[in-house]
Amino acid sequence: MDTLRKKIKRIKKNIRRRLPETKPVAFITKIRWGRELALRKSREAQLIALPPDEYSKLRFYQFKKATAEFFFQHIGRTDIKVSDTPHYRLAQALIEGNASEIEAGKRFYEAYLAAASQTTGSAPSEPSVEELKRELHNLREHPHKAAPVVVTQILPGGEFFVVEGNHRIAIASALEQEIPVELWPFELAFMKFSPVIEYYGTRHNNRPYSNIYFNQKVAIPGRREDIIERLSMIPREVLNGAKVLDIASNFGMSSILVRSFGAASVQGLEISSSMVDFASRFSMLEGVYPDVKFRQFNIDKDFLGDEERFDVGFMFSIYAHLSKPQHLTRIAERNIGKYIVFESHPGHTYDTYKSFFDSGLFSSVEELGRLIRSVFKPEEKSRILWLCTKAQSD
């Protein structure tokens, strides 16, 4: 009997040990997510009549960090439209049949593919040159058999953005041929074309971490609706003309919005490459790129160069997530010249971060205000925001 009990105990122990590896909550969340997405698509997606002469004006949506850099380098604008894309240029050259234009179009498209191949799963894969040629032939012969191009409006009544089917809409535009176009509400399109667990987390009612803003208006509500409130607590003289470092920038909302609060430029650091892609996308769509840029960065492992200098550092609810929080002190010491804006984790106090605040780097640490834990617990104003002023050496 004792042997059986020990065996059962050992089995239970192994199950408990393996649960974090199998991530059952994440798996269940993914199943529920897929089911909700299918139901919402059946109810909310709708075919729309969009004339072919409007296709070229549709805006490109699926930027990643690398493709944002590509487009800005080659086009010099952030409001990229279908007519600006390599897909359109190559399709038009193939239709016209000019050998030199086809070769130039192929080079341009292949350069784009090289950037797009730095994939993170944050955007659909792009077709090769040969696949695009086949798509051109199929659309020319059977336009109404094409899979619908998916478009969305980030804000109601706003511009149309192509979220899936860039190559098909570019080819159809070059052919001046009508193909099926489906309009999805932005929240639905975002659910479909965004990573599930990484972006939304689990057990959070399919709401992203914070509000998603576009033109300073809420496009999708998040679990935190206080991003603008948080920035409003910071004295304007701290932000005016400042070079800001946003550490653990998530999908970039604070970085993008702080430009409207007077910041001159922002560099966001984020461990997730998918998040960097999303943030770069929003920066392009908002028209603040390249003044607001993002890069992948692991605070526990990576270091900024001493020549990388900023006026203000944002450290929002990051400290407890780090295995080496002393690296934040290093950044504050070597890379930030004037201020750190530091947000606590829910329920934490000054004493939780005493080693950071009392490191000798700051002449003062001032509480700016308190923010709610999340929209699900609005009664808990348990996130404290501090302004840490750097001590200036003589």
Side-chain angles (χ1 to χ4, degrees):
M1 184 62 73
D2 287 342
T3 304
L4 180 60
R5 285 199 187 99
K6 287 180 181 178
K7 189 174 182 179
I8 293 172
K9 188 175 181 180
R10 190 163 58 249
I11 291 171
K12 287 181 177 179
K13 186 177 180 180
N14 285 336
I15 290 172
R16 284 195 297 269
R17 181 176 58 81
R18 285 177 170 273
L19 276 176
E21 299 173 12
T22 57
K23 299 180 180 178
V25 174
F27 178 71
I28 293 169
T29 298
K30 190 171 183 178
I31 291 175
R32 289 175 177 169
W33 181 281
R35 184 177 60 188
E36 179 178 348
L37 182 61
L39 287 171
R40 290 193 60 181
K41 180 184 174 184
S42 67
R43 292 195 304 261
E44 300 175 39
Q46 55 180 312
L47 284 169
I48 60 171
L50 202 61
D53 60 0
E54 292 293 318
Y55 294 170
S56 65
K57 303 173 188 175
L58 301 178
R59 284 187 63 178
F60 187 90
Y61 176 81
Q62 294 288 4
F63 296 105
K64 296 184 285 188
K65 181 180 187 294
T67 55
E69 292 167 355
F70 172 88
F71 277 113
F72 200 79
Q73 177 187 352
H74 287 86
I75 309 296
R77 293 183 282 104
T78 65
D79 60 331
I80 306 303
K81 297 180 172 60
V82 166
S83 57
D84 298 315
T85 63
H87 315 66
Y88 179 81
R89 180 172 174 181
L90 179 55
Q92 193 172 48
L94 289 167
I95 292 165
E96 292 174 355
N98 183 295
S100 62
E101 285 297 317
I102 290 173
E103 192 57 35
K106 283 175 64 176
R107 287 197 301 270
F108 189 36
Y109 187 71
E110 285 169 348
Y112 169 78
L113 288 181
S117 67
Q118 301 174 36
T119 180
T120 61
S122 63
S125 59
E126 297 282 2
S128 67
V129 170
E130 291 305 313
E131 287 169 335
L132 190 141
K133 286 181 180 178
R134 286 197 294 273
E135 190 74 51
L136 173 59
H137 172 77
N138 292 336
L139 279 176
R140 179 181 265 154
E141 298 298 318
H142 309 287
H144 296 292
K145 290 185 178 180
V149 171
V150 179
V151 301
T152 192
Q153 294 169 299
I154 299 179
L155 296 175
E159 294 178 281
F160 288 113
F161 291 80
V162 181
V163 294
E164 205 280 325
N166 294 308
H167 61 293
R168 292 195 299 279
I169 200 75
I171 292 168
S173 181
L175 288 170
E176 299 180 344
Q177 202 158 37
E178 187 175 358
I179 59 171
V181 177
E182 244 177 31
L183 174 62
W184 290 21
F186 182 54
E187 186 177 2
L188 178 61
F190 203 84
M191 285 177 66
K192 170 64 177 175
F193 300 107
S194 303
V196 177
I197 303 306
E198 188 171 14
Y199 201 99
Y200 287 83
T202 56
R203 296 175 175 171
H204 289 305
N205 297 333
N206 291 342
R207 294 184 73 155
Y209 175 68
S210 79
N211 284 354
I212 297 171
Y213 292 92
F214 186 63
N215 295 337
Q216 299 183 44
K217 297 178 181 177
V218 178
I220 299 177
R223 303 194 300 278
R224 294 193 63 182
E225 299 181 335
D226 56 2
I227 303 302
I228 290 178
E229 180 185 357
R230 179 170 63 193
L231 293 175
S232 298
M233 291 178 176
I234 305 170
R236 283 302 177 105
E237 61 269 21
V238 170
L239 299 176
N240 282 338
K243 291 177 63 180
V244 175
L245 180 68
D246 189 1
I247 302 169
S249 51
N250 202 261
F251 51 92
M253 289 297 105
S254 293
S255 300
I256 291 167
L257 286 167
V258 78
R259 283 276 281 130
S260 64
F261 283 75
S265 64
V266 187
Q267 174 66 68
L269 306 179
E270 172 56 48
I271 191 172
S272 162
S273 58
S274 290
M275 293 292 200
V276 168
D277 280 348
F278 285 128
S280 299
R281 177 179 304 166
F282 291 129
S283 182
M284 285 289 285
L285 300 182
E286 288 278 6
V288 296
Y289 185 93
D291 291 333
V292 180
K293 298 176 77 171
F294 302 89
R295 79 190 216 213
Q296 190 174 11
F297 190 92
N298 186 331
I299 301 165
D300 285 324
K301 297 179 180 179
D302 300 330
F303 296 97
L304 293 171
D306 288 346
E307 75 285 356
E308 297 184 80
R309 303 289 297 172
F310 303 88
D311 301 307
V312 179
F314 288 168
M315 299 180 180
F316 297 149
S317 296
I318 180 59
Y319 195 91
H321 294 304
L322 303 176
S323 60
K324 295 180 180 178
Q326 65 270 24
H327 285 188
L328 288 180
T329 305
R330 177 190 171 100
I331 290 174
E333 178 182 10
R334 301 189 180 194
N335 305 104
I336 308 299
K338 297 179 180 179
Y339 303 99
I340 299 289
V341 185
F342 189 102
E343 181 186 76
S344 77
H345 296 276
H348 289 185
T349 66
Y350 184 104
D351 287 342
T352 311
Y353 313 105
K354 191 174 178 61
S355 62
F356 178 75
F357 292 150
D358 295 352
S359 59
L361 294 176
F362 307 114
S363 60
S364 65
V365 178
E366 171 192 358
E367 183 177 320
L368 295 176
R370 301 193 175 214
L371 299 158
I372 65 170
R373 182 186 184 100
S374 77
V375 293
F376 303 124
K377 296 187 177 180
E379 70 285 354
E380 287 189 31
K381 279 209 163 188
S382 57
R383 296 180 187 267
I384 306 174
L385 193 69
W386 285 281
L387 178 65
C388 311
T389 304
K390 286 286 297 287
Q392 301 301 313
S393 56
D394 296 330

